[in-house]
């Protein structure tokens, strides 16, 4: 037999855990430009490395962050890139909690369309800005994972020359919850 106070404590802890899971489950990320599980439009393709897109970041919006969120980060990652470590296409940190969306083009180098205090981190193209899709011609379509991270800190203190990998480490160390969607992009084989 369990003692009643201990049993009640276990029940209370279980209810708190379920409540936390339901809050995390309501955290959602969407894009009016790139529906989840869709094929990404060519305008989001990189301009360079043999790709000729507009290199424009898509509009994003999110809702349902858990209590205790003090800032947000956004990442876009291609786990299928033939690098052995994937490819970081976008990394934005220090988005204030009153930010619930970013307009199309917010990934332009220079942070002009980002809220005050937010900044982009250097990605695998070597710039602090959006770097569009550019998988090798003929590869099966790559997955691009768009994620908003609800952080437990108001600011990630990253060096000016931080890489997306370092930012990713700090983001994960301070994440309360994430919301993600994936979409695909491929290019035809070269002739």
């Amino acid at each position: 037999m369990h003692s009643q106070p201990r049993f009640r404590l276990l029940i209370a802890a279980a209810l708190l855990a379920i409540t936390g899971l339901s809050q995390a489950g309501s955290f959602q990320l969407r894009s009016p430009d790139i529906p989840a599980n869709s094929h990404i439009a060519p305008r989001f393709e990189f301009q360079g490395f043999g790709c000729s897109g507009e290199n424009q970041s898509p509009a994003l919006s999110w809702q349902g962050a858990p209590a205790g969120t003090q800032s947000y980060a956004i990442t876009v990652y291609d786990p299928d890139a033939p690098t052995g470590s994937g490819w970081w296409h976008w990394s934005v940190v220090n988005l204030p909690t009153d930010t619930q969306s970013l307009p199309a083009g917010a990934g332009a180098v220079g942070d002009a369309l980002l809220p005050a205090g937010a900044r982009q981190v250097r990605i695998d193209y070597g710039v602090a800005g959006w770097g569009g899709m550019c998988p090798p011609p003929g590869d099966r379509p790559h997955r691009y994972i768009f994620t908003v991270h609800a952080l437990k800190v108001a600011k990630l203190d990253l060096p000016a020359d931080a890489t997306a990998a370092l930012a990713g480490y700090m983001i994960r160390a301070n994440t309360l919850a994430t919301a993600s969607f994936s979409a695909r992009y491929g290019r035809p084989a070269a002739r």
Side-chain angles (χ1 to χ4, degrees):
M1 277 264 149
H2 297 288
S3 68
Q4 269 204 343
R6 184 171 181 212
F7 182 72
R8 286 183 183 168
L9 182 61
L10 289 173
I11 294 293
L15 287 173
L16 283 172
I18 290 169
T19 301
L21 287 176
S22 68
Q23 285 178 347
S26 66
F27 192 27
Q28 297 178 350
L29 174 65
R30 292 190 176 100
S31 173
D33 298 327
I34 302 175
N37 302 313
S38 70
H39 184 79
I40 299 170
R43 77 176 187 262
F44 301 108
E45 185 179 272
F46 188 65
Q47 191 170 62
F49 286 47
C51 289
S52 56
E54 296 174 25
N55 198 44
Q56 181 187 62
S57 62
L60 297 172
S61 64
W62 55 94
Q63 63 184 18
T69 300
Q70 295 187 41
S71 69
Y72 298 104
I74 301 278
T75 57
V76 179
Y77 178 70
D78 171 5
D80 301 320
T83 63
S85 61
W87 191 270
W88 292 101
H89 287 268
W90 203 18
S91 182
V92 184
V93 297
N94 303 335
L95 289 160
T97 55
D98 62 353
T99 306
Q100 298 294 301
S101 65
L102 292 176
V109 172
D111 302 334
L113 295 177
L114 293 177
R119 68 175 266 230
Q120 298 177 100
V121 176
R122 185 167 46 97
I123 57 166
D124 289 334
Y125 287 115
V127 298
W130 166 263
M133 294 64 200
C134 189
D139 264 16
R140 65 176 165 60
H142 288 202
R143 294 168 292 157
Y144 295 88
I145 303 168
F146 294 75
T147 305
V148 60
H149 307 260
L151 304 181
K152 63 184 176 183
V153 294
K155 181 181 179 187
L156 292 178
D157 207 9
L158 295 168
D161 64 346
T163 62
L166 175 59
Y169 176 86
M170 295 302 292
I171 289 167
R172 287 181 187 262
N174 290 286
T175 293
L176 294 169
T178 61
S180 296
F181 71 85
S182 295
R184 296 185 179 276
Y185 190 75
R187 298 183 349 175
R191 293 182 182 201

